[in-house]
Amino acid sequence: MKRFEIIDGMRGYFLVFMLINHLVFVGGYWMVEVNHRQFAFVEDAQGFVFLSGLLIGMVYARKMLKYGYEVGRQAIHGRAFELYRYAMGTVMAVLVVQMVLPDAFRLWYNWLGTTNFDAPLRLAAIATFLFQPTFMDILPQYIVYMLFAPLLVWLCLRGKWLHVLAGSLIAWMAAQLGLQRFATEPLNALITGADEQGIRDSFNMLGWQIVFFPAMVIGVLVAQGKIDWTRIFSPERTWLPKLALAICLFFLPLRIATAWDLLPQPVLEKFATMEIRADFGPVYLLNFAAVATGLAWLLIAGPKHRSAWIRTAAGIVTGVFTLRFLRLLGRHSLQVYVWHVAIVYAVYYVDGRTPELSQLTKTTIAVVCIALLALPALWREREEISAALFGQPATEPARNKPGSNAR
């Protein structure tokens, strides 16, 4: 297996479940409940951001080691600008469609507000990521993180990775204390539109960077050969997975209790301050660290463990993350993510224009949408597919072109 294949498979897995969770139907549908977030305070977006940071560190650290800081900086910022074009292009495309489709303005109001081409202040807010339409909010934070990434990657290469981690922790603590509001409150008042919406986002970038930048640091250390995963996650060192499992089991009843509103109000009021998703609060941080550690141990050490059931579990998880369909999606995660936004908006529009659908119909639509996710990836690999089917000469795959192998 090539080095990035399992990472591609994991990104594909997160994209599939992001789509399932983002499909909105009147009356809901059962597939949205089949998700790991039902048992832990862990969601697909966290894994997607983590893997993106990991690849930034791995890929661009090697580039800087080989060609120097300036080449690496240009590559990262070039990638960030490409992402920005996709982010803005997605918004513009949705606004154009909104002008054409009957009743789209009303149906998409909860997701777009009064955003249109006659609202220059709102468009400026979108262009500066102050207003982020629903489901278009992952790319903006990724772009902002990439603007800082060249300097931080370089610091890691110079042995200052602990300083980077310390800065990330301080920024996360600032987010938990709401210190960003010194800046955001005046901006919110400045850009508030006719729909009484000003700053709109699902992710506090100061909080969520604790997922991206530590992953980037790990990626840099991997690129330098300073991490031996088989020593850290060995079959004999079981205290790490045991600790991770203990944390997950501690939070499991709390997750179920909060989902079903079973916590007493005094407990809930205190607990809620620690599990603010937008700020990536302590509850989310602990859960993500535990699940990531346990999963890493299972993938690396699990196949060599003396216990047959652990080896079986490792084989099942590895098999899922190496499914060809998921790896296909993961190799083109940027294009697939943008395409998933189009699918979600289209389904929401159709659902709003029709009588309430049956669960069977909703399930069928969801399955078809999952299959449709592959269209951008298939298009980008059409030459390789054609070569495999008809024996024609294949060109270099898109994911291996310079500057395109980190998403």
Side-chain angles (χ1 to χ4, degrees):
M1 183 185 302
K2 296 179 181 178
R3 60 185 177 183
F4 289 148
E5 283 193 347
I6 198 163
I7 295 179
D8 286 335
M10 294 173 97
R11 290 198 294 179
Y13 172 89
F14 295 137
L15 284 165
V16 167
F17 278 94
M18 258 194 266
L19 175 69
I20 292 173
N21 292 333
H22 291 171
L23 290 174
V24 178
F25 296 98
V26 174
Y29 77 120
W30 67 274
M31 287 181 69
V32 77
E33 303 300 331
V34 183
N35 195 285
H36 46 262
R37 67 182 174 86
Q38 302 296 327
F39 306 103
F41 294 91
V42 178
E43 300 176 358
D44 308 297
Q46 301 159 18
F48 196 75
V49 172
F50 180 86
L51 293 177
S52 297
L54 181 68
L55 283 174
I56 289 295
M58 291 172 63
V59 173
Y60 292 105
R62 290 192 179 100
K63 194 175 291 290
M64 286 187 183
L65 285 171
K66 188 172 183 179
Y67 301 109
Y69 171 78
E70 188 59 28
V71 172
R73 182 195 65 79
Q74 290 178 1
I76 295 175
H77 285 169
R79 180 64 172 168
F81 183 60
E82 179 186 8
L83 292 173
Y84 184 81
R85 294 197 303 269
Y86 272 99
M88 294 301 103
T90 303
V91 176
M92 295 301 107
V94 169
L95 292 182
V96 169
V97 173
Q98 180 182 248
M99 295 171 59
V100 176
L101 293 180
D103 216 22
F105 184 88
R106 179 185 65 84
L107 292 172
W108 288 341
Y109 179 83
N110 289 337
W111 292 3
L112 296 172
T114 57
T115 305
N116 60 76
F117 290 113
D118 294 326
L121 185 61
R122 175 59 56 78
L123 294 177
I126 290 175
T128 53
F129 300 146
L130 296 176
F131 186 96
Q132 298 170 19
T134 300
F135 303 137
M136 303 185 198
D137 39 24
I138 287 185
L139 287 184
Q141 65 165 321
Y142 188 20
I143 292 165
V144 171
Y145 298 157
M146 290 186 75
L147 295 179
F148 293 94
L151 176 61
L152 298 181
V153 169
W154 186 247
L155 286 174
C156 292
L157 290 174
R158 294 173 64 87
K160 305 292 185 182
W161 58 272
L162 280 175
H163 296 71
V164 176
L165 290 180
S168 179
L169 180 61
I170 291 170
W172 178 80
M173 291 190 296
Q176 306 315 302
L177 297 172
L179 299 184
Q180 76 281 354
R181 293 184 180 178
F182 284 114
T184 58
E185 287 302 312
L187 284 172
N188 183 67
L190 178 65
I191 67 171
T192 297
D195 53 7
E196 299 184 351
Q197 297 189 70
I199 292 180
R200 171 178 170 156
D201 54 26
S202 299
F203 306 101
N204 181 340
M205 293 187 187
L206 279 180
W208 277 71
Q209 55 75 35
I210 198 71
V211 181
F212 184 90
F213 287 120
M216 186 199 73
V217 170
I218 293 171
V220 174
L221 295 177
V222 168
Q224 291 180 294
K226 293 184 177 181
I227 294 182
D228 184 354
W229 292 115
T230 57
R231 288 191 60 187
I232 298 174
F233 300 113
S234 68
E236 294 76 26
R237 290 188 175 183
T238 59
W239 67 270
L240 267 178
K242 288 177 180 177
L243 177 61
L245 180 61
I247 293 173
C248 292
L249 290 176
F250 172 80
F251 280 105
L252 175 60
L254 291 170
R255 180 69 189 96
I256 296 173
T258 54
W260 292 92
D261 198 21
L262 300 176
L263 288 180
Q265 192 61 31
V267 177
L268 180 60
E269 289 175 357
K270 177 62 177 179
F271 185 76
T273 64
M274 306 288 285
E275 64 104 22
I276 300 174
R277 176 184 181 273
D279 295 337
F280 204 71
V283 170
Y284 279 94
L285 180 59
L286 281 171
N287 274 258
F288 180 75
V291 172
T293 300
L295 183 60
W297 184 89
L298 187 62
L299 289 172
I300 296 171
K304 302 176 184 177
H305 197 269
R306 62 180 179 274
S307 172
W309 75 267
I310 290 180
R311 293 196 303 270
T312 300
I316 292 172
V317 173
T318 302
V320 170
F321 288 143
T322 53
L323 289 172
R324 293 182 64 183
F325 179 74
L326 298 183
R327 287 188 283 120
L328 172 67
L329 300 181
R331 287 196 297 272
H332 308 280
S333 56
L334 167 60
Q335 292 77 16
V336 172
Y337 175 81
V338 172
W339 177 235
H340 118 281
V341 174
I343 292 173
V344 168
Y345 272 74
V347 170
Y348 190 47
Y349 176 81
V350 172
D351 184 70
R353 297 273 292 177
T354 57
E356 184 172 345
L357 303 172
S358 68
Q359 285 295 325
L360 177 60
T361 303
K362 294 173 184 177
T363 302
T364 303
I365 291 173
V367 172
V368 170
C369 288
I370 291 171
L372 290 176
L373 267 183
L375 288 182
L378 291 173
W379 173 256
R380 286 172 60 82
E381 294 194 7
R382 62 192 183 279
E383 294 181 356
E384 291 75 41
I385 295 171
S386 176
L389 292 176
F390 307 110
Q392 299 173 359
T395 59
E396 185 182 13
R399 89 178 303 281
N400 294 325
K401 293 180 182 178
S404 69
N405 50 359
R407 293 172 176 76

